[in-house]
């Protein structure tokens, strides 16, 4: 079956660094997406990886290892506004996004 | 450019009723996907429409259906509502989901409560 696993909740301190892990098993693979969703709002796109390696975008970076079925989202210099849920999604061979349940990130001052 | 809009934003129905939700994609986008989001379950894919054709379908019962019009606006319908259908229904649009790296843009969602 198809499955995406990510931690349910994580807590970090303002100004620190946090890494949110995601493992995936999908029928085929057309890329790994990360979205951010603030409470009561729609998900917004953060990153896309289809090749192995690290993609950096400002304070956010995303890493992919296709051989391990593994990705992580790295958030640096955490700010209070980063408190949100982070959704990992793998696109399968039918171009369908398979979503994890999301990781709720709590930032403490 | 206007974003994805969904109407209504909130809806309360009773068991057995039916409901129709509407989604207007970003101008120029031809792909519209629908998702159901419930606490702890994450987003569950319902279906995707592209150029008025259903191109992909998730594992939901036949009570869930949809369509897309020539202007790319999409509607989804749920018949014979059950309590378990209470959820946030999100619509996402993109130029074409089959273009890799193509981002899906989400609307604010319709929160459906079934009593």
């Amino acid at each position: 079956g198809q499955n995406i696993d990510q931690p349910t909740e994580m807590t970090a301190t303002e100004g620190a660094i946090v890494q949110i892990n995601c493992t995936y098993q999908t029928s085929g693979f057309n890329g790994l997406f990360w979205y951010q969703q603030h409470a009561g709002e729609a998900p917004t796109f953060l990153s896309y990886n289809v090749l192995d390696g690290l993609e950096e975008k400002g304070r956010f970076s995303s890493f992919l290892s296709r051989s391990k079925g593994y990705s992580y989202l790295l958030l640096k210099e955490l700010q209070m506004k980063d408190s949100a849920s982070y959704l990992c999604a793998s696109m399968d061979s039918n171009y369908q996004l398979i979503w994890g349940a999301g990781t709720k990130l709590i930032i403490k001052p | 450019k206007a974003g994805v809009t969904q109407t209504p934003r909130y809806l309360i129905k009773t068991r057995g009723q039916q409901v129709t939700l509407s989604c207007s994609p970003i101008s120029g986008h031809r792909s519209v996907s629908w998702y159901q989001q419930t606490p702890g379950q994450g987003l569950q894919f319902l279906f995707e429409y592209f150029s008025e054709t259903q191109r992909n379908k998730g594992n939901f019962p036949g009570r869930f259906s949809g369509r897309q019009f020539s202007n790319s606006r999409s509607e989804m319908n749920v018949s014979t509502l059950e309590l378990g259908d209470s959820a946030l229904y999100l619509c996402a649009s993109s130029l074409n989901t089959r273009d890799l790296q193509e981002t899906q843009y989400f609307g604010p969602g319709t929160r459906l409560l079934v009593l």
Side-chain angles (χ1 to χ4, degrees), chain A residues 96-109:
Chain A
Q96 179 177 325
L97 281 175
I98 310 300
W99 296 81
T103 297
K104 183 178 180 182
L105 178 62
I106 299 167
I107 310 295
K108 294 187 174 178

Side-chain angles (χ1 to χ4, degrees), chain A:
Chain A
Q2 308 204 95
N3 194 51
I4 308 288
D5 281 319
Q6 52 181 131
T8 304
E9 188 174 294
M10 299 182 70
T11 302
T13 305
E14 191 177 16
I17 299 173
V18 72
Q19 178 175 309
I20 303 174
N21 296 324
C22 169
T23 58
Y24 64 90
Q25 276 183 301
T26 52
S27 303
F29 181 74
N30 277 311
L32 194 292
F33 292 78
W34 284 95
Y35 277 76
Q36 179 191 60
Q37 186 176 26
H38 284 100
E41 296 183 13
T44 54
F45 171 79
L46 287 177
S47 69
Y48 171 78
N49 294 68
V50 69
L51 299 176
D52 286 355
L54 187 68
E55 296 270 347
E56 297 187 71
K57 266 191 200 180
R59 294 189 300 114
F60 291 10
S61 303
S62 56
F63 172 83
L64 176 68
S65 168
R66 293 182 63 153
S67 62
K68 294 182 179 177
Y70 168 69
S71 173
Y72 67 72
L73 181 68
L74 191 72
L75 291 75
K76 302 176 188 173
E77 300 167 18
L78 285 169
Q79 302 174 10
M80 297 303 292
K81 67 177 182 180
D82 297 329
S83 292
S85 285
Y86 291 85
L87 312 178
C88 170
S90 172
M91 181 169 275
D92 69 11
S93 57
N94 289 324
Y95 302 93
Q96 179 177 325
L97 281 175
I98 310 300
W99 296 81
T103 297
K104 183 178 180 182
L105 178 62
I106 299 167
I107 310 295
K108 294 187 174 178

Side-chain angles (χ1 to χ4, degrees), chain B residues 9-88:
Chain B
R9 294 292 312 277
Y10 303 92
L11 208 46
I12 299 176
K13 292 285 188 179
T14 54
R15 276 180 300 175
Q17 287 187 307
Q18 71 145 21
V19 67
T20 299
L21 312 182
S22 180
C23 171
S24 292
I26 292 171
S27 177
H29 283 190
R30 296 163 67 190
S31 170
V32 174
S33 298
W34 287 90
Y35 297 92
Q36 181 194 66
Q37 187 176 34
T38 52
Q41 287 274 338
L43 277 78
Q44 304 291 319
F45 174 73
L46 281 153
F47 27 66
E48 183 214 356
Y49 286 87
F50 182 80
S51 293
E52 302 179 66
T53 301
Q54 188 182 86
R55 189 160 70 171
N56 222 338
K57 190 176 189 305
N59 295 323
F60 276 79
R63 300 186 297 108
F64 292 81
S65 62
R67 59 178 174 169
Q68 186 179 35
F69 302 95
S70 58
N71 62 358
S72 292
R73 189 178 71 85
S74 177
E75 289 181 346
M76 71 162 271
N77 185 77
V78 188
S79 62
T80 321
L81 283 166
E82 301 177 358
L83 295 179
D85 296 334
S86 294
L88 179 68

